[in-house]
Amino acid sequence: MTSLASAIMRQVDELAAISEEPGLLTRTFLTAQHKRAGEAVIGWMRDAGMAAAFDAIGNVVGRYEGRSPGLPALWLGSHLDTVRDAGRYDGMLGVLSAIACVGALKHEGVRLPFAIEVFGFADEEGARFQSALSGSRAIAGTFDPASLEKRDGDGVSMGDALRRFGGDPAAIATVGRRAEQALAYVELHIEQGPVLEAKGMPLGVVTAIAGASRYAIEIAGKAGHAGTVLLVEKRCAEAPGLVGTVGRLSAMPGAVNVIPGLVRFSLDIRAAEDGVRRAAVDDILRGLEAICRRRGVQLDVGPIHEHGSTACAPWITAQIERAIAAQGVTPLALPSGAGHDAMALAGLVDVGMLFVRCKGGISHNPAEAISMEDAEIGAAALLRFIRDFAPKSARA
Ligand SMILES: [Zn+2]
């Protein structure tokens, strides 16, 4: 049975063809390609029985009314923007699976005791303006208008790009929702990690989205960096769910027979528990200082970014688990290392996520892949979840 997945996978491929760069998938915030992809999604939403349109910041929003118009809504969705040279499932799978589920309800003539809204968020990745989560923050009412001054690589400001797109910077505040309009936000997403594949499981339920601490580090003077990288590896192996990455490393002068005199690198520490992350950051920075003191080299640590972890609401994850179990799959609980729109919305509404296994754990890469069977079982679990959804206030 691939009744939901065949449409989802066809639409995934259609969106993957809408790219700023020929031969690879790049579709960033407020480009002509963003517009075209959004228009295609709006068309599919309308086919599924939803009222759909772009909002003032470029999110695609579709609404399927419940038994009477204007009811609070179960929110579903993910993002439609990509990184450069992206995979085709990251973000899009969540939006298209949600539309397929609504289409199935419409096909059966089913109206639920709540509305459903599906979001195709405009700017989760932040690849064009280094912004990230702009669309979901606008919905949550936490979009920072100063972001409109951010410029892309060609010097175009976000505000100008938004006007050119047909959006309205002055109306972004009106995009923000009130808490009582939403019952929950549930995002289906590919795992972007290898856990489900390693366990032989197609679906997982997310317990929390990891918090992250990111630093730019510079060591001036001979050597010292190798010890640092080993320190990060050793410290992060001490706690389960703690991930440390030195993703960028440059050494100057960069000659094979010269010990580098200046080394710059990035440090990214993530954990589902904020206390675990902070303790690791403290230990690593202290260890770094000790190494640099011992070696007589100069250390400069610049914090870049820090955000706390986002817990998924237990009352929602319990319902996601039941929906997964109903597919004959044992639900595997796991944290999300990567960030998602759910983080931005969690300040407004309780959130939950379900993960679909991806091949080799690869994401942000053209090799990103999922199977038709997993797409089907993911969408079927989401549909089961929607049909059985019990809002928090309605529970005993
Ligand atoms: Zn994503």
Side-chain angles (χ1 to χ4, degrees), residues 20-366:
E20 293 158 42
E21 296 175 85
L24 45 91
L25 172 54
T26 299
R27 195 173 55 244
T28 63
F29 186 33
L30 301 176
T31 55
Q33 290 74 22
H34 170 193
K35 185 104 189 186
R36 270 178 54 208
E39 281 165 352
V41 170
I42 286 169
W44 296 326
M45 284 176 164
R46 289 179 181 157
D47 291 345
M50 285 182 266
F54 283 109
D55 70 12
I57 198 165
N59 294 316
V60 170
V61 187
R63 183 175 168 99
Y64 184 74
E65 294 292 352
R67 283 177 196 157
S68 60
L71 292 171
L74 169 61
W75 288 1
L76 307 169
S78 192
H79 59 95
L80 295 171
D81 68 314
T82 74
V83 296
R84 298 196 182 281
D85 199 8
R88 60 185 61 196
Y89 302 97
D90 173 6
M92 282 66 80
L93 185 70
V95 182
L96 298 172
S97 295
I99 296 171
C101 290
V102 174
L105 296 176
K106 184 227 175 192
H107 185 71
E108 295 171 30
V110 173
R111 294 284 168 177
L112 297 165
F114 48 86
I116 298 172
E117 289 198 51
V118 179
F119 294 90
F121 290 114
D123 183 38
E124 193 267 351
E125 305 282 8
R128 182 172 176 191
F129 297 100
Q130 314 304 313
S131 42
L133 303 175
S134 301
S136 42
R137 282 193 179 132
I139 295 291
T142 56
F143 176 80
D144 179 2
S147 301
L148 292 165
E149 304 303 320
K150 289 189 173 172
R151 289 179 188 273
D152 69 5
D154 295 326
V156 178
S157 75
M158 188 192 291
D160 285 342
L162 181 56
R163 272 182 287 270
R164 233 170 275 171
F165 183 84
D168 182 359
I172 291 175
T174 67
V175 165
R177 302 296 189 92
R178 296 187 317 276
E180 60 269 25
Q181 294 177 301
L183 301 169
Y185 171 70
V186 173
E187 180 166 352
L188 178 150
H189 203 284
I190 58 164
E191 184 199 346
Q192 302 180 281
V195 176
L196 291 172
E197 189 178 67
K199 303 265 185 194
M201 294 294 184
L203 301 178
V205 58
V206 178
T207 52
I209 302 168
S213 302
R214 204 171 299 157
Y215 296 88
I217 293 171
E218 190 176 295
I219 297 176
K222 295 206 161 127
H225 59 286
T228 306
V229 176
L230 293 174
L231 170 74
V232 172
E233 187 184 14
K234 182 169 171 297
R235 180 59 182 81
C236 290
E238 284 172 18
L242 180 64
V243 179
T245 309
V246 176
R248 253 197 318 263
L249 197 150
S250 65
M252 273 142 283
V256 287
N257 59 345
V258 181
I259 297 171
L262 181 69
V263 176
R264 289 198 185 102
F265 59 94
S266 61
L267 172 65
D268 183 293
I269 308 289
R270 294 179 186 217
E273 282 177 54
D274 290 338
V276 169
R277 173 174 49 86
R278 285 198 204 100
V281 167
D282 287 350
D283 286 352
I284 288 167
L285 295 184
R286 249 200 319 271
L288 245 168
E289 282 166 22
I291 291 171
C292 291
R293 226 177 6 251
R294 211 161 52 232
R295 298 265 185 167
V297 296
Q298 204 184 324
L299 170 70
D300 183 68
V301 176
I304 294 178
H305 167 88
E306 170 143 355
H307 68 83
S309 69
T310 302
C312 292
W315 70 270
I316 299 175
T317 52
Q319 294 188 39
I320 293 174
E321 280 177 358
R322 279 200 292 279
I324 292 174
Q327 314 310 313
V329 174
T330 307
L332 183 81
L334 74 171
S336 171
H340 299 287
D341 288 296
M343 296 190 308
L345 296 171
L348 184 70
V349 58
D350 284 350
V351 302
M353 289 191 73
L354 88 146
F355 271 171
V356 176
R357 167 171 59 188
C358 62
K359 191 161 175 268
I362 294 167
S363 183
H364 287 184
N365 186 293

